[in-house]
Amino acid sequence: MALEITDANYKELLSSGKPVVIDFWAPWCGPCKMVSPIIDELAAEFEGKVNIGKVNVDDNDDVSAEFGIRNIPTILFFKNGQLVDKQVGATSKSALVEKINKLL
């Protein structure tokens, strides 16, 4: 299961030393509902190697604003605490796996 990322914990997560993948979503977003199970699968598959979590944009204004999230779903990929890649809109699991493997 993906981590719940909030305004309160995202900075700590980014400084964990592990690659981080953050899915920005909202409960009312249709494409987000398609991506959500894929994010949960990836969190299980990459457990211990990559921190994968979700930010509900309706509840977490600070982190969403800091990264300039304007469209959802948006998935951000971090390595060594730095943003290195981005996926805007729904995509396939294989495309996300390819991006995650580049973080390792």
Side-chain angles (χ1 to χ4, degrees):
M1 190 76 170
L3 302 168
E4 181 180 349
I5 301 173
T6 65
D7 288 342
N9 71 1
Y10 78 96
K11 288 183 180 176
E12 179 182 326
L13 188 66
L14 290 177
S15 63
S16 70
K18 287 184 184 172
V20 177
V21 176
I22 302 177
D23 173 27
F24 290 83
W25 71 285
W28 47 263
C29 166
C32 299
K33 291 177 185 175
M34 293 187 312
V35 171
S36 184
I38 295 170
I39 295 296
D40 287 334
E41 287 174 25
L42 294 171
E45 289 172 23
F46 287 93
E47 187 173 356
K49 297 178 193 167
V50 180
N51 289 323
I52 299 177
K54 301 176 184 180
V55 172
N56 182 333
V57 297
D58 290 341
D59 298 335
N60 297 282
D61 295 334
D62 293 346
V63 65
S64 300
E66 180 168 333
F67 294 110
I69 303 303
R70 297 177 191 271
N71 300 302
I72 54 174
T74 293
I75 303 169
L76 301 182
F77 300 82
F78 297 86
K79 186 170 185 171
N80 300 320
Q82 301 297 313
L83 179 63
V84 295
D85 204 352
K86 177 194 291 195
Q87 170 64 47
V88 179
T91 190
S92 67
K93 181 177 179 181
S94 60
L96 295 175
V97 167
E98 186 177 319
K99 288 178 180 278
I100 292 170
N101 282 331
K102 289 180 183 175
L103 300 175
L104 299 174

